[in-house]
Amino acid sequence: MKQVLLWVISMSSIIMGIVPVQAKDKNTNQLLEQSRIQTSDLSRQEHYLLTTEKSDFGAYKVEHQLALVPQSIAAVDYTTESLGTMSVVKSARPIKRVVEGTLARNVLTNKLAPISGNITVLLAKDVTLDNVVQATGLSVVSSYSGTQLAVLKVPANEDVLIAAKQLKALDLVVQTKIEVLDVVYESY
């Protein structure tokens, strides 16, 4: 709704800039000019927020300062929000390794979600899943017979981002996608 409103405001400012409005008095001209300036500033700010945040993978940015802990042991002073039965807390030390359970923020929706530790892959032509498993040491979560799709599990102590880059560098896979446990659709 907010994005639609911003779009309408920005479109109206463009139209007002194209079609000059003949105002009957000085106050009306002043108000129109102020609204154009405010609309321009608002649209620039929203655009700035959407384009400057660089994602680490896909549409996600790893949150190195946040951790996911059970609500029963989370200190209220450090809790920023909750995700189901877990609390998001500020970490005293930045997270250096992206493993299963590390939080990632969707840069489009601004929502937090944990990384599952799985990587979905599209295997290259004439490459078998056994070739990939032998070359990487990753375990198979599932594979889809008749397709080149598979889901691989990164070991608990390995960095998921590095594992995905290494998979891509081997030329055994065409595409990799790190799995995030994000809610894609919400009911209203």
Side-chain angles (χ1 to χ4, degrees):
M1 184 66 181
K2 182 179 177 185
Q3 290 175 343
V4 172
L5 182 61
L6 288 174
W7 181 79
V8 169
I9 291 171
S10 64
M11 290 306 294
S12 66
S13 68
I14 292 170
I15 292 170
M16 285 193 288
I18 295 171
V19 181
V21 177
Q22 298 295 326
K24 294 185 180 182
D25 62 3
K26 190 175 182 178
N27 289 338
T28 308
N29 273 338
Q30 229 173 5
L31 288 173
L32 283 173
E33 187 59 32
Q34 286 176 350
S35 70
R36 284 186 190 128
I37 291 169
Q38 288 174 352
T39 303
S40 176
D41 289 345
L42 185 62
S43 64
R44 252 189 267 121
Q45 288 172 359
E46 187 68 21
H47 181 66
Y48 173 78
L49 290 173
L50 290 176
T51 58
T52 59
E53 188 160 13
K54 187 177 184 310
S55 63
D56 293 322
F57 62 94
Y60 296 94
K61 175 97 176 131
V62 176
E63 290 292 341
H64 294 281
Q65 296 295 332
L66 299 177
L68 198 60
V69 298
Q71 284 180 349
S72 60
I73 63 170
V76 177
D77 296 341
Y78 298 105
T79 301
T80 58
E81 65 182 90
S82 63
L83 293 173
T85 61
M86 304 292 275
S87 290
V88 177
V89 296
K90 290 185 181 182
S91 178
R93 296 183 315 238
I95 296 167
K96 292 183 177 23
R97 196 174 5 189
V98 179
V99 295
E100 179 181 347
T102 302
L103 288 172
R105 183 176 303 280
N106 187 322
V107 296
L108 302 174
T109 63
N110 204 32
K111 294 193 178 191
L112 287 172
I115 294 173
S116 72
N118 295 339
I119 301 175
T120 304
V121 295
L122 175 61
L123 302 174
K125 188 174 183 179
D126 299 328
V127 173
T128 65
L129 189 56
D130 290 334
N131 295 350
V132 176
V133 170
Q134 288 174 359
T136 61
L138 303 177
S139 58
V140 178
V141 174
S142 63
S143 64
Y144 303 95
S145 61
T147 69
Q148 292 293 96
L149 292 172
V151 179
L152 302 173
K153 180 75 171 173
V154 178
N157 59 350
E158 285 188 33
D159 192 305
V160 177
L161 293 176
I162 293 172
K165 285 179 186 173
Q166 288 173 344
L167 265 170
K168 192 79 166 155
L170 289 175
D171 293 330
L172 296 174
V173 298
V174 176
Q175 187 68 38
T176 62
K177 183 179 181 227
I178 297 172
E179 187 178 88
V180 179
L181 304 174
D182 194 3
V183 176
V184 179
Y185 300 105
E186 292 183 26
S187 60
Y188 292 98

